[in-house]
Amino acid sequence: MKIYLNMLKLSPYQQQDFHIEEPGDNELLDTWGGRFLQPVVVEGKIEHSGKDIHAQGKVQTVVELYCSRCLKPVTYSIDSSFFAAVVDENCQKDLSETEEDVVFQGDGIADLTPLVQEVIISDIPISVLCQEECRGLCPNCGKDLNTGTCNCRDDNIDPRWEKLKQLT
Ligand SMILES: [Zn+2]
Ligand SMILES: [Zn+2]
């Protein structure tokens, strides 16, 4: 995910469009056990404001994740925008206080990879659901309760409680 700034030969008050398309790294989705179904497309423009250089655009891809209730595969589309300052990698120290997203560049090459990964990760909810109303799996027999009820409902009472009930 690199932009060759030297080749863009951006002068002050100019802007250049860019389009990068690369396969996603499935390791990024380890937390969710997911995988990329489509390449990661990053589209946007690099802008020279006269003083600073900024990169802005959007990240689009499609990933497969798993419903956190019923474990069914869920297709999730990512379409998220970003705005970041392009700064020299040697001035990392001065940036601890800035709120802005940052892309580092060295030798005229700006690497968007860390930013794009961040955009993707923050777009995905911690728990993904196949549908808002997903009923999940029965904790007892593992049946997918979206496809019907199981016979556990009445057996769910802990046998120890059963005894207590008899005492009363
Ligand atoms: Zn589900
Ligand atoms: Zn059950």
Side-chain angles (χ1 to χ4, degrees), residues 117-129:
Q117 292 185 338
E118 186 62 40
V119 168
I120 292 174
I121 288 175
S122 44
D123 190 79
I124 303 175
I126 290 165
S127 69
V128 184
L129 295 179

Side-chain angles (χ1 to χ4, degrees), residues 66-72 74 128-131 133-137 144 146:
Y66 294 92
C67 174
S68 55
R69 286 190 200 148
C70 73
L71 311 177
K72 242 188 304 209
V74 179
V128 184
L129 295 179
C130 62
Q131 50 175 324
E133 305 284 295
C134 175
R135 307 167 91 138
L137 304 176
D144 183 350
N146 296 303

Side-chain angles (χ1 to χ4, degrees), residues 138 140-143 150-152:
C138 169
N140 201 28
C141 70
K143 185 183 164 71
C150 58
N151 298 318
C152 303

Side-chain angles (χ1 to χ4, degrees), residues 18-139:
F18 65 87
H19 178 109
I20 309 171
E21 199 169 320
E22 268 177 32
D25 181 358
N26 286 336
E27 260 179 49
L28 190 63
L29 304 174
D30 264 358
T31 323
W32 296 271
R35 66 190 177 106
F36 285 90
L37 295 178
Q38 280 180 28
V40 179
V41 178
V42 183
E43 234 173 4
K45 60 184 178 189
I46 291 269
E47 231 173 344
H48 196 318
S49 72
K51 197 166 120 249
D52 308 306
I53 296 178
H54 280 94
Q56 61 175 305
K58 55 183 181 175
V59 178
Q60 286 174 306
T61 187
V62 179
V63 297
E64 182 180 71
L65 307 163
Y66 294 92
C67 174
S68 55
R69 286 190 200 148
C70 73
L71 311 177
K72 242 188 304 209
V74 179
T75 304
Y76 185 82
S77 297
I78 291 166
D79 186 350
S80 214
S81 51
F82 63 87
F83 182 84
V86 180
V87 297
D88 198 274
E89 59 187 1
N90 295 322
C91 70
Q92 295 199 14
K93 282 178 220 125
D94 316 330
L95 292 161
S96 46
E97 282 174 18
T98 148
E99 294 273 295
E100 208 170 22
D101 281 332
V102 160
V103 171
F104 291 110
Q105 66 107 358
D107 296 327
I109 302 168
D111 189 5
L112 292 184
T113 310
L115 173 75
V116 169
Q117 292 185 338
E118 186 62 40
V119 168
I120 292 174
I121 288 175
S122 44
D123 190 79
I124 303 175
I126 290 165
S127 69
V128 184
L129 295 179
C130 62
Q131 50 175 324
E132 197 77 31
E133 305 284 295
C134 175
R135 307 167 91 138
L137 304 176
C138 169

